[in-house]
Amino acid sequence: MPLPEPPWRKPVRQQLSRELIVDTALEILDREGMDALSMRRIATELGTGAASLYAHVSNKDELQELLLERVLSQVPHEAPDPARWASQLRELCRRSLDALVTHPGIAQVALATVIPTGEASFAQAEAMLGLLRVSGLPDAHIAVAFDVLSLYLTAYAVEVNAVRSGQFPPAEIAERTRQLGEYMASLPPDRFPSLLALAPLLGSGDPDTRFRAALDLIIAGVETVAARSQAMATGADSGETRGPGIG
């Protein structure tokens, strides 16, 4: 029978594994943010040396990719339903945003990852692409819609995390907004009529309301292009003659 650990020595919590390292990293991330995350910090939390972690994770960049995969794996997906693809797409976007903003710093990792190649990333892409496909949108437009939705979700999550982390204190935002309002009021209205007319609405309102409104605009565009494409296909099948169109 092995001897017990001396009371002055911090034992390793469990047998080291990639899963345990990612679990521990996520705990640190959620408590202290991305700036606190390092291989040394994780090793300290696990009661071991940083060198022992490199047998399971190559470096911090790989660790961040694994964290992103873990977060994306928490997003539930539904099988595409042609009768309600739009509401499913809204819900998928909402769940994805919630996952990204729940874990501070993960959105920045997602934004910096050019081509995610993990299983959870592929599953996330498959879920969104599947919903866009049953909308009736042509494949070339699906690729564009996927890019727009993915980039908007990630960039919006980065903004939310920045505000929540205190990077932009409310008092500072209010003062800068006041200064900007005063400055814009001095601009010549004959040169900037649209900007001055809409300035009070730019960036205003509840963030959640703005997020839903943006999704509605994107999805409305998908519906419009899909309907137009289906009408053109129906016309071609029935032998109708059409003039030149757009797209």
Side-chain angles (χ1 to χ4, degrees), residues 167-244:
Q167 184 177 341
F168 303 109
E172 182 179 317
I173 294 176
E175 176 61 17
R176 179 58 62 89
T177 301
R178 184 191 66 77
Q179 292 175 346
L180 182 60
E182 291 180 355
Y183 175 71
M184 291 183 69
S186 69
L187 296 176
D190 58 323
R191 289 186 58 193
F192 305 103
S194 298
L195 179 60
L196 293 177
L198 295 171
L201 297 176
L202 299 177
S204 66
D206 174 70
D208 188 64
T209 300
R210 293 206 314 273
F211 177 77
R212 292 198 307 268
L215 285 184
D216 286 344
L217 284 172
I218 296 171
I219 292 174
V222 171
E223 291 172 325
T224 299
V225 176
R228 185 180 67 192
S229 298
Q230 290 168 356
M232 291 175 65
T234 301
D237 290 343
S238 63
E240 291 181 10
T241 301
R242 291 180 176 273

Side-chain angles (χ1 to χ4, degrees), residues 148-161:
V148 170
L149 284 166
S150 299
L151 285 172
Y152 177 70
L153 276 172
T154 308
Y156 186 80
V158 169
E159 180 181 313
V160 171
N161 278 332

Side-chain angles (χ1 to χ4, degrees), residues 33-56:
M34 187 64 77
D35 289 343
L37 195 60
S38 69
M39 301 296 275
R40 185 177 298 277
R41 176 73 175 81
I42 297 168
T44 299
E45 191 81 6
L46 290 171
T48 187
S52 63
L53 272 58
Y54 290 105
H56 305 277

